[in-house]
Amino acid sequence: MSQTKYIFVTGGVTSSLGKGIIAASLAKLLQARGYRTTIQKFDPYINVDPGTLNPYEHGECYVTDDGAETDLDLGHYERFLNVPTSQANNVTTGRVYLSVIEKERRGEFLGKTVQVVPHITNEIKERMQLLGKSGDYDIVITEIGGTVGDIESLPYIESVRQLVWELGENNGIVIHLTLVPYLAAAGELKTKPTQHSVKTLMESGIKADILVCRTEHEISQELRQKLALFCNVKKEAVIQSIDASTIYEVPNLMLEEGLDKVALKKLDLPEKNAPDLNNWNQFLFRLKNPKHEVNIGLVGKYVELQDSYKSILEAFIHAGAANETKVNVISIHSEHLDANSAESQLKDLDGILVAPGFGGRGIEGKIDTVRYAREHNIPFFGICLGMQMAVIEYSRNILGYADANSTEMNENTANPVINLMEEQKNIENKGGTMRLGAWKCSIAANTLAQKIYGKTEIMERHRHRYEFNGAYLNELEKAGLVASGVNPDTKLVEIVEIPTHPFFIGVQYHPEYKSTVANPHPLFVSFVAAAVQHKNK
């Protein structure tokens, strides 16, 4: 008998139904019952990782401690479970094929014709069981990206079919997430798309054990009976997933529906104790019953797509609950902002965050934003590129270097206060070559950063190629912009702040990646608190 049990989550009818949220919610319930649980995502696109994808195309790229550039669903997994993910938790078709082709070149398949079955499917199955074989987990949940019926998903579906069979009875189950649409003209919910989706899955040799139905309206007992009958599942395994006001309600909704009980029964595992969601529900209570409200401007250049800044938006939800404050995030496009329009766009904000990004588009708008926040004493928080913009703004307007810039935007600037990192200068490949993953930072005593973190040594996750140019450090510090956090090994400046400003901090790393429900990130918590204070003034 396999020691680790496996749950596979597939999707049908349409994409973006929330497989990641369902997987994370089920994992949360199993974890709350005392099971060591992890989640992994298999993505059917041919990119080796999402690091080179446009944020408009795929949403944000999430980064793990070990430097993997991954799908944004891994952010949900960490936020729900409060357990770090790694390189092994996200696999793409590109990575699978790359690995198989490298093995073929090394001669590992000598004499054999390399094919999708068995070579690609074997590689997928091996990676599906990697976390399970570590001995660290009782249950591994695997989310299969895309929709059943997609050409690119077929090797994954076939791998799931083989693996469930190989694992044997009660060791691997399939949850199929599907849509039950409401037709307003007919005034009723329709089960036909779900029936077709399950049929497509069965044509691939997979029988769904549990059906999770996304819906805008309650699914009646009669409709559940019909779905159970036509989709070949037990009635208690037809789970309703109704639209919720926040994704953080979903674990409770799944608990009410008994998703965790049905899954444990199918896996032949004891229910153990009732799920302990005490802390989770305290967070939800604070989230839903705020005592304050603030408007925070998110100034970025990918604001048209919410998913581009997914982790930042979620970090504000965690920090808002910690401060019993409703945070209204106002998206502002930096391309549509300049020195003349800054006043009208920024004057009513209680705090301003300048977001990460790449390339020269919308840069001047970010610099004008920093200036406005600095001169008007509005709480300011800059992340990655946002921190670099703060350095450029200070160099231009306080040091008087009118042409100060980053060599990313202007290679020939006479004052490159932000420069390409030394180890990046000879890199030709774009994918997976940035400064990635968790790096140390030493925080100076008696600084805002030290007050926020309450310690002098931290580890934070990075994703950048350009850095603060140390040649300008003394000048900037004398003029009042303090480097309060520095990497102890590379001496790279990680945090800058202005001690004379009520709240002005910029960080080279991405604190949003480490914010979870259980541990809201202290930078976001302090920033929201500063915004509340600013508003009350």
Side-chain angles (χ1 to χ4, degrees):
M1 183 189 142
S2 161
Q3 267 187 304
T4 306
K5 306 273 187 171
Y6 294 85
I7 298 174
F8 300 95
V9 182
T10 60
V13 184
T14 170
S15 58
S16 304
L17 285 181
K19 289 192 298 289
I21 303 299
I22 291 296
S25 299
L26 175 57
K28 179 77 213 166
L29 295 177
L30 296 172
Q31 184 193 54
R33 282 187 183 273
Y35 285 101
R36 298 171 305 155
T37 311
T38 189
I39 323 174
Q40 54 190 2
K41 172 91 186 268
F42 280 66
D43 268 311
Y45 52 79
I46 296 173
N47 303 62
V48 173
D49 57 47
T52 54
L53 288 173
N54 184 325
Y56 287 131
E57 184 125 340
H58 199 74
E60 77 169 7
C61 174
Y62 187 78
V63 177
T64 60
D65 278 338
D66 66 349
E69 291 178 291
T70 74
D71 184 78
L72 59 80
D73 273 322
L74 269 75
H76 290 311
Y77 306 165
E78 289 200 10
R79 288 189 278 273
F80 275 59
L81 294 182
N82 201 37
V83 175
T85 53
S86 72
Q87 202 90 36
N89 292 72
N90 193 200
V91 178
T92 67
T93 295
R95 197 175 287 282
V96 169
Y97 273 81
L98 189 64
S99 174
V100 171
I101 289 165
E102 283 170 351
K103 285 177 182 175
E104 186 271 334
R105 294 288 82 187
R106 286 197 300 270
E108 289 188 26
F109 308 124
L110 276 186
K112 291 270 188 273
T113 306
V114 180
Q115 295 177 291
V116 174
V117 181
H119 301 98
I120 296 296
T121 51
N122 283 350
E123 181 78 22
I124 292 170
K125 287 189 296 183
E126 204 174 296
R127 287 168 181 264
M128 282 176 169
Q129 295 176 89
L130 204 58
L131 290 164
K133 285 176 176 169
S134 69
D136 296 336
Y137 303 105
D138 306 312
I139 300 168
V140 175
I141 299 177
T142 303
E143 178 192 344
I144 307 294
T147 311
V148 168
D150 296 349
I151 289 173
E152 57 260 39
S153 297
L154 287 173
Y156 291 111
I157 297 298
E158 170 59 15
S159 301
V160 170
R161 183 196 70 74
Q162 290 180 21
L163 195 51
V164 168
W165 182 83
E166 286 167 14
L167 289 166
E169 192 107 20
N170 307 121
N171 290 326
I173 62 168
V174 175
I175 295 177
H176 191 55
L177 177 63
T178 169
L179 179 70
V180 179
Y182 179 78
L183 282 192
E188 61 180 347
L189 289 164
K190 289 293 183 188
T191 63
K192 196 62 76 181
T194 296
Q195 292 176 47
H196 283 302
S197 180
V198 170
K199 189 180 172 194
T200 305
L201 197 60
M202 289 183 88
E203 282 168 4
S204 303
I206 294 177
K207 176 189 173 299
D209 296 285
I210 299 172
L211 212 52
V212 176
C213 305
R214 272 304 301 273
T215 175
E216 295 172 7
H217 299 268
E218 293 282 340
I219 298 176
S220 66
Q221 292 303 320
E222 191 186 350
L223 220 53
R224 287 182 195 235
Q225 185 62 46
K226 183 180 176 182
L227 281 163
L229 179 65
F230 288 160
C231 297
N232 210 12
V233 297
K234 292 218 161 82
K235 191 183 169 190
E236 68 265 25
V238 177
I239 305 290
Q240 165 183 290
S241 175
I242 202 157
D243 290 359
S245 62
T246 164
I247 57 170
Y248 298 108
E249 279 183 344
V250 179
N252 281 321
L253 294 176
M254 291 303 101
L255 181 66
E256 281 169 28
E257 286 286 310
L259 175 60
D260 54 328
K261 282 187 175 182
V262 177
L264 288 171
K265 190 176 171 186
K266 298 255 178 211
L267 292 169
D268 196 23
L269 288 171
E271 284 180 19
K272 289 191 177 180
N273 34 357
D276 177 11
L277 292 175
N278 199 14
N279 293 344
W280 187 270
N281 288 327
Q282 280 176 11
F283 156 78
L284 264 179
F285 180 81
R286 289 195 302 273
L287 181 65
K288 290 179 165 185
N289 299 282
K291 293 177 180 170
H292 318 277
E293 188 169 346
V294 292
N295 294 330
I296 289 178
L298 173 67
V299 181
K301 48 189 185 178
Y302 314 118
V303 294
E304 296 92 335
L305 183 71
Q306 290 277 304
D307 276 359
S308 301
Y309 301 114
K310 193 66 185 164
S311 293
I312 290 176
L313 297 176
E314 297 305 317
F316 273 129
I317 290 172
H318 309 153
N323 282 288
E324 297 183 277
T325 299
K326 184 182 182 202
V327 179
N328 301 316
V329 178
I330 318 267
S331 296
I332 298 167
H333 204 304
S334 60
E335 251 188 313
H336 308 151
L337 196 147
D338 56 31
N340 300 321
S341 67
E343 172 79 22
S344 63
Q345 293 200 59
L346 306 173
K347 68 178 193 314
D348 296 326
L349 298 173
D350 306 307
I352 295 170
L353 183 143
V354 174
F358 295 93
R361 187 172 60 86
I363 285 307
E364 294 302 321
K366 289 189 173 189
I367 294 168
D368 290 325
T369 298
V370 178
R371 181 173 189 169
Y372 188 87
R374 180 177 60 76
E375 291 179 347
H376 291 79
N377 283 336
I378 298 171
F380 168 81
F381 185 12
I383 296 178
C384 199
L385 185 68
M387 173 265 208
Q388 296 176 359
M389 296 301 101
V391 173
I392 294 170
E393 189 279 326
Y394 212 83
S395 304
R396 285 184 187 180
N397 299 317
I398 301 295
L399 292 184
Y401 296 137
D403 64 343
N405 215 327
S406 164
T407 52
E408 182 180 6
M409 321 310 165
N410 176 6
E411 279 183 27
N412 305 314
T413 174
N415 286 291
V417 292
I418 304 294
N419 212 350
L420 188 62
M421 302 174 76
E422 204 52 50
E423 63 266 31
Q424 290 285 331
K425 287 182 178 169
N426 300 317
I427 286 174
E428 288 175 11
N429 286 354
K430 290 275 186 263
T433 55
M434 283 188 257
R435 181 176 194 250
L436 292 164
W439 294 75
K440 279 183 197 157
C441 172
S442 298
I443 300 177
N446 305 317
T447 55
L448 175 61
Q450 197 240 328
K451 185 182 155 202
I452 288 171
Y453 278 99
K455 49 187 171 186
T456 53
E457 292 292 325
I458 57 166
M459 291 278 279
E460 289 283 4
R461 298 178 191 178
H462 293 69
R463 186 173 185 253
H464 64 109
R465 290 188 201 279
Y466 292 81
E467 64 169 322
F468 182 109
N469 185 344
Y472 292 86
L473 180 59
N474 286 341
E475 255 184 294
L476 282 162
E477 290 216 303
K478 276 182 191 160
L481 185 73
V482 175
S484 55
V486 175
N487 180 287
D489 307 315
T490 62
K491 303 300 173 226
L492 171 75
V493 172
E494 300 273 20
I495 310 174
V496 296
E497 57 183 71
I498 302 175
T500 55
H501 190 283
F503 188 100
F504 189 105
I505 196 161
V507 297
Q508 181 56 74
Y509 47 82
H510 289 263
E512 69 273 22
Y513 292 150
K514 288 185 78 168
S515 187
T516 68
V517 169
N519 286 313
H521 198 286
L523 277 167
F524 280 88
V525 174
S526 303
F527 179 51
V528 171
V532 172
Q533 209 175 348
H534 177 79
K535 183 182 182 176
N536 292 340
K537 268 185 187 168

